Amino acid sequence: MPRTKKKNGRGGQHGNVQPFSDEDASIETLSHCSSFSDVTSVADEGGEASEDTAQEDFQYKLKGFIDSTVDKSAKTRQGALDGLKTAMATRILYEFISERRMTITDSIERCLKKGKGEEQRAAASLACLLCIQLGSGIESEEVLKTLKPIFKNILADGSANIQARQAVATSLGLCTLVAEDDILDVHATMECFENLFTRAYARVDGTCPSISPQTSQLYTNALLSWALLLTICTASQLKDILRKYLPKLPRLLESEDVNMRIAAGETIALLFELARDMDTDFEFDDWDELCDKLNALATDCNKHRAKTDKRKQRSVFRDVLKAVEEGDFQSETIRFGTERMTIDSWVRKRTYDAFREFVGSGMNYHLQANEFIRDVFELGPPILVDSATMKAMKISRFERHLHNSAAFKARTKARSKFRDKRVDVGEF
């Protein structure tokens, strides 16, 4: 990280349609196509339908969704796009999708051009999931080559639906990370994002431009996609970006939108990390002023801000401040199947968050089975674990409930001891 692209990368394991377990998939994720889980459960429980039959039935449903993306009814098209999104987020479908890549791409293109807000939003997200399934290579490059001009037109069109623009701002970033082969084209896409988020800069006098919440979300999405593409920039590009943007990005910390402030803080931490990777003696001219700003946000007590926003902000900016002052990162361990992965840098965090935004609760499954995503996070080839071993490793829901209940009671008892005013202070 930053990683080297592989031209022959693939998005899955030879097209085997593998069921996504109920442990990992939330009901909400599968709500748009509940029949998926029905097929899966029958196969898992050893019912009448064999695994092959379940797979054929599942593929039949997918073909129906693909056909329905060109239906006259906008509601039907929307449902078809959502069905395909759920399938791609929760299963590995490389062979099936590869054979129908051009058809799916044409459908996405049509929905982006002729659809309205929600339909365009779903189509943009589906484009991203399509690239994630195909992996980094010629196939995903062709998808991006077709869709990128449309994405950029929507992004730059101030009269376009704001929800569509928000979705495109996020999808174009990840599609570029996965599929763009030319670093100069990456830089050109970053300039599209820069044209948006720089409009949110606070003025020299400290006042902020008047921006609607919807537009602020668009600018925030653009900033996060820009930050994602920083992770694959060359050293010379990074040097130019640091010189041009690091002095100005702190202006976004003045935003009234908590999500923009947080995105700006995390992007600044990411830039400092990348700068120090190139030069351990990296220095920033306005370092003291920046640290004062970050410290103020990490201890923010403004009464006019919502309590939940302040809690979220303070937590993030404590980590951002440590990153800027000490080059520190609060690592996190992600467990999936029999494996675990450590998020130990701002680069890895931004990349993980970007993928998770699209695959949702299917992230753990993709970490286990998607060859491309495993390559991005340097996890090696997928580890095959038979179902008997997995069942032996899983703790039953009842046992987990008992364990959680016992832990909760112990925690409550310990806390109440300190909260009880009758406890003698001398005991402590």
Side-chain angles (χ1 to χ4, degrees):
M1 310 283 288
R3 62 189 175 79
T4 303
K5 281 179 171 283
K6 294 203 305 183
K7 292 297 292 180
N8 62 347
R10 293 182 49 170
Q13 290 178 295
H14 309 294
N16 293 333
V17 179
Q18 303 178 32
F20 182 45
S21 71
D22 294 335
E23 291 290 329
D24 295 324
S26 66
I27 294 174
E28 182 181 356
T29 302
L30 298 179
S31 62
H32 291 296
C33 46
S34 58
S35 54
F36 291 168
S37 58
D38 295 338
V39 173
T40 301
S41 60
V42 171
D44 288 346
E45 294 169 9
E48 295 179 1
S50 67
E51 186 176 344
D52 288 342
T53 303
Q55 180 171 319
E56 288 173 7
D57 187 45
F58 175 69
Q59 291 192 358
Y60 178 78
K61 293 177 189 297
L62 288 183
K63 291 173 186 175
F65 283 135
I66 293 172
D67 291 341
S68 294
T69 58
V70 295
D71 194 89
K72 291 182 179 179
S73 166
K75 186 176 181 180
T76 301
R77 294 196 303 271
Q78 175 77 45
L81 293 169
D82 287 337
L84 289 170
K85 280 171 54 185
T86 301
M88 291 189 197
T90 56
R91 300 192 182 196
I92 302 300
L93 303 166
Y94 176 79
E95 293 293 348
F96 179 88
I97 288 172
S98 183
E99 292 171 2
R100 298 162 180 81
R101 170 178 57 85
M102 293 181 68
T103 302
I104 297 172
T105 305
D106 288 344
S107 293
I108 293 171
E109 181 180 7
R110 190 179 299 107
C111 291
L112 285 170
K113 284 182 175 179
K114 298 183 178 180
K116 302 300 180 184
E118 281 301 320
E119 184 179 338
Q120 289 175 300
R121 191 185 194 101
S125 296
L126 182 59
C128 219
L129 286 161
L130 179 60
C131 287
I132 290 172
Q133 287 278 342
L134 294 172
S136 181
I138 297 297
E139 293 171 313
S140 58
E141 286 175 19
E142 289 296 324
V143 172
L144 181 60
K145 184 178 179 181
T146 300
L147 300 178
K148 183 168 63 172
I150 305 166
F151 278 160
K152 288 190 173 182
N153 285 340
I154 293 173
L155 202 58
D157 184 1
S159 63
N161 180 276
I162 190 67
Q163 290 184 324
R165 295 179 76 200
Q166 290 170 355
V168 165
T170 302
S171 295
L172 179 57
L174 190 53
C175 284
T176 301
L177 179 86
V178 175
E180 189 63 81
D181 191 49
D182 190 334
I183 197 64
L184 294 178
D185 287 339
V186 171
H187 189 65
T189 297
M190 291 179 73
E191 289 180 342
C192 293
F193 296 135
E194 290 161 6
N195 290 336
L196 292 173
F197 73 76
T198 53
R199 298 177 190 178
Y201 282 162
R203 302 182 183 93
V204 178
D205 62 3
T207 59
C208 296
S210 180
I211 301 171
S212 71
Q214 292 274 39
T215 303
S216 183
Q217 187 61 56
L218 167 64
Y219 295 167
T220 300
N221 291 359
L223 175 61
L224 289 172
S225 285
W226 183 79
L228 178 67
L229 297 184
L230 286 175
T231 66
I232 56 172
C233 282
T234 63
S236 60
Q237 284 177 322
L238 282 173
K239 287 177 182 177
D240 289 340
I241 288 168
L242 285 165
R243 176 182 51 78
K244 185 176 180 181
Y245 286 98
L246 190 52
K248 297 178 181 178
L249 281 173
R251 293 189 197 174
L252 296 176
L253 299 175
E254 309 291 338
S255 173
E256 291 297 317
D257 184 346
V258 65
N259 292 320
M260 173 58 88
R261 293 196 299 273
I262 288 173
E266 292 185 339
T267 301
I268 289 168
L270 173 63
L271 277 170
F272 267 86
E273 180 178 272
L274 291 169
R276 286 165 176 161
D277 283 345
M278 290 189 296
D279 179 7
T280 53
D281 297 323
F282 171 76
E283 293 184 359
F284 178 54
D285 290 341
D286 299 321
W287 188 82
D288 289 333
E289 183 182 345
L290 174 60
C291 288
D292 288 342
K293 275 188 178 182
L294 297 176
N295 185 60
L297 290 166
T299 57
D300 190 359
C301 295
N302 272 333
K303 292 182 179 180
H304 70 278
R305 286 178 180 161
K307 287 184 179 179
T308 52
D309 285 353
K310 284 191 287 189
R311 277 197 296 268
K312 182 180 178 183
Q313 175 184 289
R314 286 196 293 258
S315 175
V316 170
F317 277 95
R318 282 195 293 268
D319 292 339
V320 172
L321 183 59
K322 285 183 181 178
V324 173
E325 286 186 331
E326 306 167 21
D328 191 27
F329 180 84
Q330 187 67 39
S331 63
E332 176 187 0
T333 300
I334 309 296
R335 292 177 176 81
F336 49 98
T338 61
E339 302 172 83
R340 61 182 61 190
M341 174 181 75
T342 302
I343 305 295
D344 56 3
S345 67
W346 290 98
V347 167
R348 184 164 282 213
K349 181 182 186 303
R350 179 79 283 273
T351 308
Y352 177 83
D353 288 347
F355 280 111
R356 198 179 193 288
E357 182 164 353
F358 287 95
V359 299
S361 61
M363 187 63 186
N364 283 0
Y365 176 71
H366 277 271
L367 284 170
Q368 292 178 72
N370 188 314
E371 292 180 8
F372 166 67
I373 287 183
R374 290 182 67 88
D375 180 53
V376 168
F377 292 105
E378 301 169 339
L379 296 171
I383 298 174
L384 299 178
V385 181
D386 59 74
S387 57
T389 303
M390 288 301 294
K391 285 180 180 178
M393 292 175 59
K394 280 185 178 179
I395 183 172
S396 73
R397 290 186 179 181
F398 180 66
E399 289 172 320
R400 187 162 62 240
H401 172 72
L402 291 178
H403 173 77
N404 289 341
S405 295
F408 177 77
K409 287 178 182 178
R411 202 162 50 239
T412 303
K413 188 176 180 180
R415 287 174 178 172
S416 64
K417 180 181 178 183
F418 289 95
R419 290 174 181 159
D420 194 338
K421 294 179 181 179
R422 291 171 297 176
V423 176
D424 186 0
V425 178
E427 290 179 18
F428 304 103

